[in-house]
């Protein structure tokens, strides 16, 4: 899904309509299961706002109510925001204080803000890359107000792979320095092109060696030949092995994005082996939140979220 095209159509003032029976008629789940790992750490699930992007776009939901929706409709008590739904509110500190209060009122923890379309941090032009860095500052400030631990950024840039990597190191050094003042982490997500090469990301992290630089491994974005990296359709010319990719990024992870697409009649993912993928996550000793990010078209967004949640809980108990 191309977020650039979708988010331009979305406004945060869309009317809320939670009563639509076709959308919310499924049985609502109970609180997130607490299956424990060998270390006695519970399974912790969160909801990515992108899972409901079509519903926000249509005006059936208001993005400002995201925390309440996650808790009341899906039994999830942690959320990850997408900056594109709040584009005009980036520097509005009063708005973010209200959003914090809303989340606290519903017992929801704010984890991070996914930042898109603020310029390429890997731009080879120093002026443009500096502008991109500074464009991210307001989202660091918003994340601090919300009580998040991180912002997620994209490692994009046009040019030779090594030249873009050098530009990313320079930009991320500046951004991480700014974010460190607010105790905020900066996370790189595999999101297409060079960023879907986990060893390329790893080399950036190891060279910069910033304590607040990490990763947000995504189960699905492993297309090396297209920006945004979606592998939902079978039209990517070059795809990195998703299981090796997640395994490589997990040592640096502050979150995990459990991307899901379509489900079969047994409630299984048709493109991703969730048993294998979750096994990799659990074996790594990862103790953070696993983020539900439904991006499919076959099921409705609420149905896709619930099916993803159920699949993760069911598999986790058997690992």
């Amino acid at each position: 899904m191309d977020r650039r095209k979708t988010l331009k159509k979305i406004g945060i003032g869309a009317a809320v309509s939670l009563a639509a029976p076709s959308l919310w008629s499924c049985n609502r789940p109970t609180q997130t299961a607490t299956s424990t790992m060998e270390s006695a750490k519970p399974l912790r699930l969160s909801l990515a706002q992108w899972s409901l992007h079509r519903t926000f776009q249509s005006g059936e939901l208001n993005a400002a109510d995201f925390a309440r929706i996650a808790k009341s409709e899906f039994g999830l008590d942690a959320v990850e925001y997408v900056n594109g739904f709040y584009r005009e509110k980036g520097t509005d500190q009063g708005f973010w204080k209200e959003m914090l209060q809303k989340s606290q009122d519903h017992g929801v923890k704010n984890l991070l803000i996914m930042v898109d379309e603020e310029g390429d941090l890997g731009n080879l032009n120093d002026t443009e890359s500096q502008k991109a860095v500074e464009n991210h500052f307001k989202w660091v400030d918003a994340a601090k107000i919300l009580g998040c631990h991180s912002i997620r950024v994209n490692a994009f840039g046009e040019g030779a792979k090594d030249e873009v990597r050098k530009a990313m190191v320079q930009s991320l050094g500046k951004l991480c320095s700014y974010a460190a003042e607010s105790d905020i982490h900066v996370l790189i997500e595999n999101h297409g092109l060079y960023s879907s090469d986990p060893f390329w990301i790893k080399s950036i992290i190891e060279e910069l060696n910033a304590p607040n630089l990490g990763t947000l491994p995504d189960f699905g974005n492993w297309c090396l030949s297209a920006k945004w990296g979606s592998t939902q359709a079978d039209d990517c010319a070059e795809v990195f092995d998703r299981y090796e990719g997640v395994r490589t990024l997990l040592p640096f992870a502050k979150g995990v994005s459990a991307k899901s697409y379509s489900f079969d009649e047994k409630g299984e993912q048709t493109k991703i082996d969730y048993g294998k993928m979750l096994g990799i996550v659990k074996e790594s000793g990862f103790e953070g939140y696993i983020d539900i990010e439904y991006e499919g078209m076959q099921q409705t967004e609420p149905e896709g979220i619930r099916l993803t949640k159920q699949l993760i809980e069911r598999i986790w108990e058997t690992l």
Side-chain angles (χ1 to χ4, degrees), residues 6 8 40-41 62 75 81 98 106 117-118 143 151 159 169 177 301:
T6 304
K8 289 179 180 178
K41 293 290 184 179
N62 187 333
Y81 297 88
E98 291 176 2
H106 295 282
E117 294 300 313
E118 289 292 359
I151 64 167
V169 170
S177 293
E301 290 178 325

Side-chain angles (χ1 to χ4, degrees), residues 30-307:
T30 57
Q31 192 69 18
T32 302
T34 55
S35 306
T36 56
M37 300 174 12
E38 292 181 2
S39 61
K41 293 290 184 179
L43 169 63
R44 298 194 291 177
L45 296 177
S46 59
L47 182 62
Q49 193 165 22
W50 190 250
S51 297
L52 291 165
H53 71 273
R54 295 195 301 274
T55 314
F56 289 132
Q57 179 185 6
S58 70
E60 293 180 78
L61 294 179
N62 187 333
D65 294 329
F66 179 48
R68 175 182 60 78
I69 293 164
K71 185 67 172 288
S72 65
E73 298 298 331
F74 304 107
L76 294 166
D77 58 6
V79 294
E80 301 184 359
Y81 297 88
V82 174
N83 74 315
F85 298 129
Y86 312 97
R87 189 75 64 184
E88 297 178 356
K89 298 293 186 178
T91 60
D92 187 343
Q93 294 191 5
F95 173 79
W96 295 112
K97 290 176 182 178
E98 291 176 2
M99 291 289 283
L100 173 62
Q101 187 62 57
K102 288 181 179 182
S103 63
Q104 291 175 337
D105 289 345
H106 295 282
V108 173
K109 184 176 181 63
N110 302 316
L111 301 181
L112 61 85
I113 300 176
M114 297 183 179
V115 182
D116 298 315
E117 294 300 313
E118 289 292 359
D120 289 349
L121 294 170
N123 196 307
L124 302 188
N125 180 287
D126 290 343
T127 301
E128 291 301 315
S129 63
Q130 179 64 29
K131 181 179 179 182
V133 170
E134 293 175 2
N135 286 345
H136 283 74
F137 287 172
K138 59 182 174 291
W139 301 112
V140 171
D141 298 341
K144 179 176 177 57
I145 293 172
L146 285 173
C148 297
H149 60 68
S150 304
I151 64 167
R152 188 277 281 142
V153 303
N154 293 307
F156 292 152
E158 296 183 9
K161 193 172 186 178
D162 192 54
E163 291 302 310
V164 174
R165 187 188 68 80
K166 291 177 182 177
M168 284 299 308
V169 170
Q170 183 178 42
S171 293
L172 286 171
K174 298 174 184 176
L175 182 56
C176 286
S177 293
Y178 181 86
E181 296 177 4
S182 297
D183 197 26
I184 296 293
H185 284 78
V186 177
L187 309 183
I188 308 172
E189 179 183 358
N190 50 296
H191 221 171
L193 300 176
Y194 302 149
S195 75
S196 287
D197 176 350
F199 298 107
W200 186 79
I201 294 178
K202 180 180 178 182
S203 73
I204 292 172
I205 293 174
E206 290 179 340
E207 179 174 344
L208 190 55
N209 195 31
N212 64 328
L213 179 61
T215 62
L216 181 68
D218 186 288
F219 289 2
N221 297 334
W222 294 104
C223 182
L224 292 160
S225 55
K227 202 171 185 179
W228 308 109
S230 177
T231 49
Q232 180 169 188
D234 297 320
D235 58 356
C236 180
E238 186 179 5
V239 180
F240 194 92
D241 181 87
R242 69 177 78 247
Y243 308 102
E244 181 182 359
V246 169
R247 183 182 285 110
T248 302
L249 295 182
L250 273 169
F252 314 100
K254 298 296 182 183
V256 170
S257 185
K259 182 66 58 61
S260 60
Y261 300 127
S262 60
F263 292 83
D264 62 21
E265 64 279 359
K266 296 181 180 179
E268 300 286 349
Q269 271 294 286
T270 59
K271 290 184 177 292
I272 302 172
D273 184 338
Y274 255 57
K276 181 176 181 178
M277 191 67 86
L278 290 173
I280 291 170
V281 174
K282 195 167 189 179
E283 289 169 8
S284 76
F286 176 76
E287 297 180 351
Y289 282 85
I290 297 177
D291 173 40
I292 295 170
E293 189 174 33
Y294 175 68
E295 198 174 75
M297 301 295 292
Q298 183 174 326
Q299 284 79 27
T300 66
E301 290 178 325
E303 183 182 10
I305 292 168
R306 293 188 175 101
L307 286 169

